Amino acid sequence: MQRTAANRAFLNVLVNTLIANVTTSFLWFALTFWVYIETQSVLATGVIGGAYMLFVAFFAMMFGTIVDRHRKHAVMVLSSVISAVAFLVAGVLYLWQPEAALLDLGGPWFWLFSGVILFGGVIEQLRNIALSTTVTLLVPEEKRANANGLVGTVQGIAFLVTSVFSGLSIGFLGMGWTLAIAIAAMALTFAHLLFIRIPESEPQVDLESKSAVDFRGSVRAIRQAPGLFALIIFSTFNNLIGGVYMALMDPYGLTLFDAQTWGFALAFASTGFLIGGGLVAKFGLGKKPMRTMLLVVIAMGLLGAVFMLREWWWLYVLGMWVYMALVPPVEAAEQTVIQKVVPFERQGRVFGVAAAMEAAAAPITAFLIAPLAEFLIIPYMDSREGQQQWGWLLGEGEARGIALICLFAGLIMVVAATLAFFTKSYRKLTVLYAEAPEQKIPGEDGGEGEGEGKGDGEASLTGSGGDGAEHADAQGKGRAPDAPPIIPGASQF
């Protein structure tokens, strides 16, 4: 892409997001490692993971409303400040209370300490929702799938760095220095943000909704796009299954490796994010991103069912690598569809609803699976009866109960994605994506005629021009300049 102001701003935002994601993931991973190593409790790690996603579900809709009502740069600054303050409070708690009190699952300090860290990490979702709308703001339509691939690559780099350094930091430095590093890194993120300029206008006031959580506006935007609600429901179900892996991945890995080695294993596996995101950035998702997403989800389910069939470290690490390579195309497909079929001024709320629903699914699974695994399934698979019934398939080892859970979770994912191909919602959304007009960013033309008074850099903000612009004008003829684009199929509602 040409080096315009919009492109430079997008790349700077990506770099800043990388620093922020590294910081929050670094501290979250470190907390999980630290708690499991000190307590050896699968239940504790499951609760931490579930609580994180529960926080995301609780705040995501509010975050989406905030993103739509404020400049994206201001939202990102707010996210950095709140995360830095939260990590600083956690550091004060660590200095104030002994480690024994912070690790006592029955005491209040464990929940307060973990909750403050998780809240600081959850605020990062505010930035991520803003980033998804920034792709629409700064990247031409034909390049958005590629840009979403770059976002996946950034997330992969963050995962790669944090998985290594979280294990090393906890193993060699301890939780105190880990907190200090996170506080310093978040301060760096804030400083970098002050030098970024995003070419954007002030968001228009939505007179129909003034509540802090605009649920009605979100639903209205989703209903304008036939099939979009079904996409969000499918992604929610996919996260429901993903919650199984979230709750059990670290305990299984720490059964095979010590903390430092497990960090390196995660680092290698996370390069799959880089490969998957890089492939999307290079080649996009094709003309039918929904079809691409479902095919990839089927592959993820098959892989998730088999990569623990034997307690071989290389099988687990290789399986995680391929699984993580498949994650960016799935996430990029959902983002690309929403960016195409939802009006820009409501995208934050739609992304917020999607994040809330999808995040709410994972803790349900994590809270259910963690105690079931620890108190029922793992003891069953350690018994003679369990080994006789499933040993032919799962082999022998310490964590055959975890393998049994993941086997069935993967098979359920395969069945769900296959059935989705035959739904009416899939067909409607595929057609809608193909026919939806180019997005019109409110305030771009400054009240003047289309294309007047704009340089090349400004024109690249929308990617409009030529036939695409004429088509958009034809679609919007006779409508108010600030009206959202017409969505084909909306008349069905």
Side-chain angles (χ1 to χ4, degrees):
M1 294 186 294
Q2 297 178 352
R3 285 185 168 274
T4 63
N7 296 331
R8 285 194 297 271
F10 178 66
L11 292 176
N12 274 304
V13 168
L14 277 181
V15 171
N16 191 266
T17 301
L18 172 62
I19 302 172
N21 283 352
V22 165
T23 304
T24 54
S25 298
F26 168 77
L27 194 53
W28 183 31
F29 271 66
L31 176 67
T32 304
F33 292 168
W34 183 61
V35 170
Y36 184 78
I37 291 169
E38 297 294 335
T39 66
Q40 295 295 303
S41 173
V42 175
L43 179 61
T45 58
V47 167
I48 290 174
Y52 176 84
M53 301 306 290
L54 197 61
F55 278 0
V56 172
F58 182 79
F59 288 107
M61 291 183 61
M62 182 185 299
F63 290 168
T65 304
I66 292 172
V67 167
D68 280 343
R69 293 177 178 175
H70 299 84
R71 293 177 184 267
K72 309 307 177 273
H73 182 267
V75 170
M76 294 178 180
V77 170
L78 177 66
S79 173
S80 294
V81 170
I82 294 177
S83 292
V85 171
F87 296 161
L88 187 61
V89 170
V92 171
L93 287 174
Y94 183 83
L95 294 175
W96 182 27
Q97 293 294 321
E99 284 196 358
L102 297 177
L103 289 166
D104 181 8
L105 304 185
W109 297 113
F110 169 80
W111 302 105
L112 180 60
F113 180 70
S114 300
V116 169
I117 291 177
L118 292 179
F119 178 74
V122 165
I123 294 299
E124 184 64 15
Q125 276 295 317
L126 181 59
R127 178 197 300 274
N128 291 337
I129 293 173
L131 177 62
S132 295
T133 63
T134 302
V135 171
T136 309
L137 176 67
L138 301 178
V139 180
E141 178 190 322
E142 66 275 9
K143 292 292 185 180
R144 284 177 194 153
N146 307 76
N148 289 324
L150 284 176
V151 172
T153 302
V154 165
Q155 294 171 344
I157 294 174
F159 198 94
L160 168 64
V161 173
T162 57
S163 58
V164 173
F165 287 100
S166 294
L168 292 176
S169 184
I170 291 298
F172 294 115
L173 299 178
M175 193 63 190
W177 281 107
T178 300
L179 277 165
I181 293 170
I183 294 169
M186 191 53 68
L188 177 63
T189 303
F190 171 74
H192 180 240
L193 264 177
L194 298 180
F195 294 93
I196 296 177
R197 295 293 180 268
I198 299 177
E200 56 180 328
S201 60
E202 187 70 30
Q204 297 178 359
V205 177
D206 189 349
L207 299 178
E208 296 183 7
S209 179
K210 297 182 180 181
S211 60
V213 180
D214 185 12
F215 182 74
R216 286 187 176 182
S218 304
V219 171
R220 189 161 54 248
I222 292 172
R223 292 186 63 190
Q224 280 186 311
L228 182 58
F229 183 69
L231 170 62
I232 296 174
I233 291 295
F234 177 79
S235 298
T236 300
F237 179 81
N238 196 32
N239 275 28
L240 192 70
I241 302 300
V244 173
Y245 299 104
M246 180 186 72
L248 301 178
M249 184 177 72
D250 284 329
Y252 190 88
L254 291 169
T255 300
L256 301 176
F257 307 98
D258 58 34
Q260 293 91 328
T261 308
W262 174 231
F264 281 110
L266 278 176
F268 170 77
S270 66
T271 60
F273 275 126
L274 305 184
I275 300 300
L279 289 175
V280 177
K282 176 67 174 178
F283 300 107
L285 296 165
K287 295 182 178 180
K288 297 180 178 181
M290 284 288 296
R291 180 179 62 183
T292 302
M293 183 185 74
L294 293 180
L295 290 174
V296 172
V297 169
I298 290 174
M300 292 174 70
L302 290 173
L303 182 64
V306 303
F307 76 146
M308 296 184 191
L309 289 183
R310 290 295 183 274
E311 203 159 292
W312 299 334
W313 67 267
W314 61 267
L315 176 64
Y316 185 53
V317 173
L318 180 61
M320 285 196 305
W321 185 89
V322 179
Y323 191 96
M324 291 181 183
L326 297 176
V327 171
V330 174
E331 295 184 348
E334 182 183 10
Q335 292 174 350
T336 301
V337 170
I338 292 176
Q339 289 159 356
K340 177 77 178 286
V341 304
V342 176
F344 172 76
E345 60 271 21
R346 293 190 183 273
Q347 283 184 12
R349 278 163 281 190
V350 173
F351 279 118
V353 170
M357 294 180 62
E358 293 163 19
I364 293 174
T365 310
F367 287 138
L368 288 176
I369 288 298
L372 284 175
E374 183 161 341
F375 300 120
L376 182 62
I377 299 175
I378 291 177
Y380 166 71
M381 285 303 296
D382 288 339
S383 68
R384 182 184 298 272
E385 180 185 358
Q387 292 171 1
Q388 288 179 345
Q389 186 168 357
W390 295 100
W392 63 274
L393 179 61
L394 301 177
E396 298 179 354
E398 298 180 42
R400 296 302 80 205
I402 294 178
L404 181 64
I405 296 171
C406 291
L407 169 66
F408 281 101
L411 294 178
I412 292 172
M413 187 182 296
V414 171
V415 173
T418 302
L419 293 176
F421 271 114
F422 301 97
T423 62
K424 186 179 296 185
S425 295
Y426 166 74
R427 294 191 294 272
K428 284 184 176 180
L429 192 55
T430 299
V431 172
L432 175 60
Y433 180 84
E435 297 179 352
E438 170 69 26
Q439 284 281 2
K440 184 179 187 300
I441 310 301
E444 272 191 334
D445 53 11
E448 298 184 16
E450 193 72 37
E452 293 179 5
K454 287 187 178 183
D456 294 339
E458 288 177 315
S460 70
L461 295 183
T462 59
S464 63
D467 296 338
E470 293 172 4
H471 177 67
D473 289 343
Q475 292 280 344
K477 187 175 181 180
R479 300 164 64 242
D482 59 348
I486 295 174
I487 303 297
S491 59
Q492 298 182 25
F493 294 95

